[in-house]
Amino acid sequence: MQDFFELIVSGFASGCLYSLMGLSFLLVMRPTGVVNFAVGQYAMLGGFAAVAVMTTILIPPIALPYVPGLLVVLALMALLGAAVEWIAVKPLVDRGAPPVASMLSLLGVLIVLLEVGARFGGTEALPTEPPFGFRRVEFGPFAGTPQSLFTIAVTLVIFAAVWLFFERTLWGRAFEAVSLDRRAAQLMGVNLRLVTVSAFASSAVVAGLVGVLISGTTGAYYQVGMALTVQGFTALVVGGVGRVDGALLGGVLLGLLEALVMRYLPVSSSMTLAVPLVVLLAFLVLRPHGLLANRGGH
Amino acid sequence: MLLVENLVAGYGAAKVLHEVSLEIARGEAAALIGPNGAGKSTLMAAIMGVIEARSGRIVVDGTNVTGHTTHSIMTRGLSLVPEGRRIFAPFTVRDNLRMGSIRLSAGRPGFDERLDYVYGLFPRLKQRESQLGGTLSGGEQQMLAIGRALMSNPRILLLDEPFLGLAPKVIEEIQAAVRILQEQGLTLLLVEQKLDIALNIASRACVLIKGSIALESSSDNLKARSDLDDLYFSLAEKAA
Amino acid sequence: MMFSLNLSIATSTAALGLLAAAGGAQSQETIKVGVLVDQTGKTSFYSQPVTEGTLMAVEEVNAAGGVLGRQIELILEDDNGRPDLSATKARKLVDDGVVAIISNSNSGATRQAISVTAESLTPQLASANSAETLTTLDNSCFFQLGPVESLQVKTMLAFTKTKGYGKVALVGDNSGLSTAAVDQFRMGLGEAGVPIVEEQLIPVGSQTAVPQLQKVRAAEPNAIYQVAQIGPQVVQFFQAYQQLGMKQPILGTFNLSSSSYLTTAKGLMDGTVFTDAFDPEKPEAIAFSERFKAKFDKEATSLEAYGHDSVVLIVDAIKRANSTERPAICKAIAETKGLPRVMGAKGTGFDFSRGDRRGFDPEGVVVRAIENNAYTGAVFSGTKN
C-alpha cells in the first residue's frame, strides 16, 4: 500500500503537467477551432527561458529570483504566443483559410521552435533552481516531494483562475461565445482579433509555465516538447474536448493511470509513453466526447 | 443616418452585391425585401463589417466606417439581429443578454438599465432569465435575439428576417415590440420576405434583386401591388 | 557561450601565430593540424569543450617555442556532428596539407572520416570517442584516445567485486546510448555471476521515475546500477530514489561526471559512485586544472582534458619522428609508450606499443564518488583487485 500512496502523489503531479498542457491546447482550440501541436515547443522554450532568466547558465549577467523570473518568462511567452499567431495564423485567416490550414502552418512553427530551442539552449538538459526540494515528505499515508506538491498547488490555482474567468467574467463568457458561434459573437461586438491573440498568448503562457516547472525538476531539455504534446492532447481528449474541468480531470487521470500501469501491470517500463497513446486511441474510438460531455455548441 | 453607396461585396470569388446604394434617415423604418439569394443577408453582413466591402462606402452619421471592424461599427450605434437568431444555446438568457452588452461603454449601471429596458419590452425573457437559451421556444429565442441586440443601446437596429418560421400569434407579439422601438425613435432596417409584414412596419421599402436595388418605393405604393412574385419577376427581367 | 569562447580562443591563437610569424623568430612555415569539431550540431555540447582543450594545449606548445622549432597551426572544420559531412570536411583538411587530424566530433562522424585518412595515410586521433568498434576499421593511422565503453563496465565490475553485492538492479533510459550500456552491464554482470533482480528503463520524455524505482525497491537489491544517459531521466532517477527514501548504493557511469548534474540533481546524489576517465588527484590533472582555471577562470572537466591530450600525443610523435611527414608521424604514434597524459588513473599514460590502437590504458578508468554535492578523487582504479 505504501507504493500505491506514493504513486498517487507522483502520478497526480505528473498528471497536473499534462492537464496544463491540455489547457494550453484548449485555450486556442475553443475560440479558434485550431489544434496547435506546437504547444509542446512552447513548454521547451519556456524551460530554456527560465534557465536564461533565472540562472547564469545561458545569459550570465541575468539571474533573477524565482518569482520575478517566472513573471518575466511568462511575459516573454505571451509575446511569443502572440507573435506566432501574427506570423503563422493571421495571414491565413485573413485570406479565409480553414482552421486546418492554420494547423499545418503551426506544424511548421513547431519545427522552427524546436530548432530555435536546440540552438539557443543546446542539447543538454539545463536546470533551474527549484523553489522547493525533493526530500521525501510524508502526510498521512501519502508521500511525495515538496516540489511535486508545489506543482499540484500551482496547477490547481491556474485551473481555478481559468475556470472563474470563463464562467464568471464577461470577457470569459465572450471567449466561450466565440467558440460557440464566432459570427454571433462578432455581432455582439466581441473583438475577434483580441480574442484570438489572447487565446494564443495565454496558451503559450500556460505551456511556458509547464516548461518552467519542469526546468526545476528534470531540467529544460530541447526534446521535452513532443511527449508533452501527446500527453496534453490525450488529457484533453480523455476529459472531454472543449472543457476546462475536462482538461484537469483528463490530465490527472492520465498521470495516475500511467503511474499505476507502470507499477502494477507486467508491461516493459520503456512503454510508459505508449500509455497515453493507447488511452488516446481508446477514447477516440469508444468515447470520442471524453468523460465530461461537451456542452453543445458545435 | 445610414448611407450605403455603390457597395460591392461577396464571398470568395463570388460577387453578391453589385453597387448597392441605400439611405435611411434618422427615425425611419425601412424594409429591405427581395427573393431568396438576392443578397439581403450579405448586405447586412457588409454593413456590420462582418464581410469586407470591395468597393463603395458605408457612412454612419457622416462618419465613413467602410473597412472598420464590427465592434467599432457597433460603437457607432449599429446592431444586427442576425438571420436564424443565433442565440448562445448553452448560455442562460441573462448571459445571452450580457453578451449583447459587451460594447456598452456605460459599464454596470448601464447594463442594469438596458436589462430593465429589454425585460420591459419582453417580460417573458425576465421570467426565463436563468433558463438556458437553447430551451426557449422559437418565439422566445427571437425575442432574446432582439433583446440581445438592443443591449448595446443601438441607434440603428438591423433585423434580418426576425419573423421567419414563427407562429402568427408570436409574430404579432414581436411586431408590437418592434413598433414600440419605432415609436421610441429607433431607426430600423428590416429584412423581410413577407411583404405584408414588411409594409406594416416600414414606411419605405427597397427591393433587392440579384445584388442590386431594383426598386425603391413608399409602402403605400407597394401595397397597391398585389403579387410579390410578379413584382420580383418583372424587376428581374428588367435587370437582365 | 561556449561558441563565443571558442571563437575568442581561435582568434587569439591565430593572433599568436601571426605575431610569431611577424617576429621572424621562426622563419619556417607552421605545422598544420586539422580539427574536426561539431560546433553547431547536436553533439556540440561535448565536442566544443573537447576542442577548447585542444586549442589551449596548442597555445601552450606554441608559447613554449613550438615543435621542431615550428609553430603549430590548428585548422578547425565544423562537421555539424553529421557523419555525411565529416568525410568531406576531412578531405578538405587533407587537401589543406594538415599533418594529422584530431577528431573531436561524435563517434559516427569520426567513423566516416576514417576512410579519408586511411586513403591519405593521415594520422587521425579521436580524442574522446568511446565507441567499441572504431579501431576495427582498416586504418593503421587511426588512434582512439579515450576509453571504450566496455572498459568502464570492467572497471565498475571490478569495484563491485570488492563490495560483494549479492544481487543488483539495473536502471537505464530508452535512448540508444543507455540501452547499449544496459546490454553491456547485463552481459558483464552475467559473466561475473551477479544476479540482476530487477531491470528498468525510464523512457525519455517521462515526468517521473517513481513507478520504475518502486519496482526496484520491491526487488530489494543490494545495489543499483544507474546507467541512464539522458539528463532529465538521470535526474528523475535520483529524485525518485530520494522520494522513495531508498538507501541502496548507486553505481553510475561516465555520464555522471558531467558537472551539470551537481545543479540539476543538487544534493540528491551524495554517496553515488561512478566511473570516470579523469582522476583529479593525478599530478598531470592537477597541473592541467590549474592552468585551465588561470586561463579561463572556470573549472576544467574531463572533456577539455581529452582535447588537451590529443595535442600532447601528436607533439610527442612529431618530436620523436623528427619529421612532419604523415607516415613518419603515424609510425611514431604507434610506437608511443608510457607517455604521461592528463586523462586516466594515476601512473597511466598513452601506450600504443601493445599493437592496440586504443591508447587508453586498460587500467586507466577510475571510480569516483559524489559527496556533499561535489566529486571526490578516485576511490578505485583499474580492472584488477
Side-chain angles (χ1 to χ4, degrees), chain B:
Chain B
M1 182 158 202
L2 172 65
L3 175 69
V4 176
E5 263 182 4
N6 303 324
L7 183 69
V8 178
Y11 299 95
K15 205 160 105 181
V16 180
L17 301 176
H18 311 271
E19 309 232 334
V20 171
S21 296
L22 189 75
E23 189 171 0
I24 298 164
R26 183 182 300 273
E28 192 190 5
L32 183 70
I33 58 176
N36 272 329
K40 300 185 299 284
S41 291
T42 307
L43 179 55
M44 295 299 112
I47 292 173
M48 293 304 294
V50 169
I51 64 167
E52 215 178 323
R54 292 184 197 169
S55 65
R57 53 188 208 129
I58 300 158
V59 179
V60 179
D61 273 343
T63 311
N64 188 348
V65 299
T66 321
H68 286 204
T69 56
T70 305
H71 55 89
S72 95
I73 288 170
M74 289 187 72
T75 55
R76 301 254 161 230
L78 259 70
S79 190
L80 169 68
V81 180
E83 186 185 8
R85 308 188 276 264
R86 304 188 91 136
I87 61 156
F88 302 112
F91 284 18
T92 60
V93 166
R94 190 189 160 89
D95 268 1
N96 268 283
L97 294 173
R98 275 176 81 199
M99 274 302 105
S101 74
I102 204 157
R103 280 292 143 196
L104 202 58
S105 51
R108 184 64 203 242
F111 170 75
D112 289 341
E113 193 185 295
R114 290 311 293 167
L115 196 65
D116 286 344
Y117 174 76
V118 170
Y119 285 161
L121 196 62
F122 299 114
R124 278 214 255 168
L125 292 183
K126 186 168 173 62
Q127 293 162 21
R128 307 246 185 267
E129 187 171 31
S130 45
Q131 215 170 303
L132 296 186
T135 65
L136 301 183
S137 73
E140 288 164 344
Q141 289 195 7
Q142 189 61 60
M143 290 173 197
L144 180 56
I146 296 172
R148 196 177 59 170
L150 288 170
M151 287 301 290
S152 63
N153 200 7
R155 290 173 301 131
I156 307 174
L157 184 68
L158 316 181
L159 294 137
D160 196 347
E161 307 221 15
F163 304 108
L164 195 67
L166 298 183
K169 194 167 163 282
V170 183
I171 293 180
E172 284 290 310
E173 211 173 319
I174 294 177
Q175 273 198 55
V178 172
R179 234 170 262 120
I180 292 173
L181 295 174
Q182 214 176 340
E183 280 158 19
Q184 290 169 345
L186 192 65
T187 307
L188 293 174
L189 176 57
L190 171 70
V191 174
E192 187 50 61
Q193 296 256 21
K194 289 186 190 140
L195 198 58
D196 54 336
I197 296 178
L199 301 184
N200 249 337
I201 294 171
S203 56
R204 186 164 62 93
C206 305
V207 184
L208 192 68
I209 305 276
K210 291 183 180 167
S212 302
I213 301 286
L215 179 74
E216 243 191 278
S217 171
S218 75
S219 296
D220 295 338
N221 254 341
L222 278 171
K223 274 177 190 162
R225 309 279 307 234
S226 55
D227 188 354
L228 196 63
D229 286 338
D230 229 35
L231 171 70
Y232 288 165
F233 186 76
S234 64
L235 287 172
E237 286 285 280
K238 224 194 291 176

Side-chain angles (χ1 to χ4, degrees), chain A residues 189-265:
Chain A
V190 175
N191 183 343
L192 294 182
R193 277 302 298 154
L194 186 64
V195 167
T196 305
V197 171
S198 2
F200 272 87
S202 57
S203 164
V205 166
V206 170
L209 175 67
V210 172
V212 176
L213 289 171
I214 291 178
S215 75
T217 55
T218 58
Y221 189 54
Y222 82 115
Q223 281 181 325
V224 83
M226 198 42 79
L228 284 174
T229 304
V230 173
Q231 289 150 343
F233 189 67
T234 308
L236 199 62
V237 171
V238 169
V241 176
R243 296 192 51 153
V244 171
D245 42 0
L248 180 61
L249 178 73
V252 169
L253 280 182
L254 182 64
L256 291 174
L257 190 70
E258 232 178 55
L260 295 174
V261 164
M262 278 311 105
R263 176 65 186 88
Y264 295 112
L265 290 189

Side-chain angles (χ1 to χ4, degrees), chain C residues 36-66:
Chain C
L36 285 174
V37 53
D38 176 4
Q39 281 176 327
T40 49
K42 295 204 162 132
T43 46
S44 59
F45 71 93
Y46 76 76
S47 186
Q48 297 263 32
V50 170
T51 305
E52 272 182 53
T54 304
L55 288 162
M56 175 181 152
V58 166
E59 214 171 308
E60 286 174 349
V61 169
N62 284 342

